[in-house]
Amino acid sequence: MSLSATNHNTEAELSRLRQRVAELEEQLARLESSNGVATANFDMHRVLDALAVPIFYKDADGRYVGCNEAFAAFLGRDRAGIIGKTAYDLAPPHLAEVYHQADLNLMRQRTLQVYEAEVMTAQGENRTVQFSKAPIFDAAGNVVGLIGAIQDITERKKAEQEMTRLMEILENTPDVIGMADAQGRVVYMNKAGRRLRGLSSDADLKSMQIADFHPAWAAKIIYEEAIPIADHNGYWSGDLAMVNARGEEIPVSQVLLAHHDADGKLTYVTGIMRDISERKKAERALREREVQEQVIEAQRAALRELSTPLLPISSDVVVMPIIGAVDSARAQQIMDTLLEGVSEHHASLAILDITGVKVMDTQVAGALLHAAHAVRLLGAQVVLSGIRPEIAQTLVHIGIDMRDLVTRSTLQQAIAFALERFRQ
């Protein structure tokens, strides 16, 4: 072998040796770097496990490469059952797809990501959580994974839903509901209240006071009576009034509720007001009808007294002139007045004068006959006067038995009969 060939082989061997040394140096650097990362990871795990917030991290392929104890407890699994798995291994397919697409968007957008989603626990319970995720970069700026934290917001979402339902009720109730602070500044008014006052749905209430929704007399009661009582007792109720967009008073039934802070200081008052215009109108109509009925009844009583007077003409004789129509109620009143008069005056003869009765029918004739029989039971006699020819024909036609009655055509003749009787 020539010297030149020997030198060429030596140079090739040296080149291979240098390459091998470089490889070994690179492996050593990686090993040292790996040991440093392991130490850093060990410290990071301890820090993360001390947190109550569930935290996880994944590689670029979506595999879980670590998590803290809070995350494992939230899922009801141990860490060994999580590391190396993907979302499809731990969650129902429809939820895993949501997580996977969110991870892809995160790594594509390379920025912080916050969103809400459902999570199913190991017990099969669906919980609403808020994910907060951030990408993890290597030294070259490439996305190599992500870290995420979850916050269970199930109860908060329920509270928000309940608040939403409550606001829907407040906004859609026909009653006026408003809230003001302790200084009387209005901070809320529902749709019914804004509509009554002629305010738009987006009207600024900051400059409005309780007094802007009530007439002066009602606002005075609210400030001087209602709020102090509600502050002391928790509530106040009574009838007041509101004013509409035209300045007209609308009667309302109002309840005022007081709200206090932790120290017992009044912070807000809530007013619930119901339009009672129809009730007030009905009450006025009822009062007017009652007064009218009282007047009518008084008139009827007066007419009864005037139309059926009992007149004593001697110590033994009383006269009752009957005028007008006789119905069942008046027939009973005639009998009561006649019997009371005969008994009170100790009369032995009573004259019923029917000159003023225009119509004689079975009801009237029967009433007179009953009155006569009742008087006879008291030991007195009845004389019926004022019988005109047409009434006589009616009495005969309807077959009224008049044998127990003394009849005369005029009141004068009846009185003459009575006086002649007592002279004998």
Side-chain angles (χ1 to χ4, degrees), residues 4-5 22 69 82 118 127 132 146 201 212 225 281 343:
S4 61
E69 291 182 357
I82 297 175
E118 296 294 318
R127 306 290 292 180
S132 299
L146 61 88
S201 59
D212 295 324
E225 176 185 332
K281 187 185 300 183
S343 176

Side-chain angles (χ1 to χ4, degrees), residues 326-357:
V326 179
D327 56 15
S328 58
R330 192 175 177 208
Q332 183 63 44
Q333 192 267 339
I334 289 172
M335 181 180 294
D336 293 342
T337 303
L338 182 60
L339 294 177
E340 289 175 5
V342 169
S343 176
E344 180 182 351
H345 296 286
H346 304 287
S348 59
L349 190 145
I351 300 173
L352 288 178
D353 182 62
I354 62 172
T355 303
V357 178

Side-chain angles (χ1 to χ4, degrees), residues 41-59 63-85 90 131 136 146-150:
N41 285 341
F42 174 78
D43 293 338
M44 182 178 66
H45 288 323
R46 292 179 60 185
V47 172
L48 295 180
D49 283 341
L51 299 177
V53 178
I55 297 175
F56 61 91
Y57 32 102
K58 300 179 181 180
D59 62 18
R63 290 188 298 270
Y64 289 95
V65 294
C67 67
N68 67 350
E69 291 182 357
F71 182 80
F74 184 79
L75 294 186
R77 300 170 180 270
D78 55 27
R79 264 193 281 240
I82 297 175
I83 305 304
K85 301 291 195 304
L90 303 178
F131 283 97
I136 298 175
L146 61 88
I147 184 170
I150 62 175

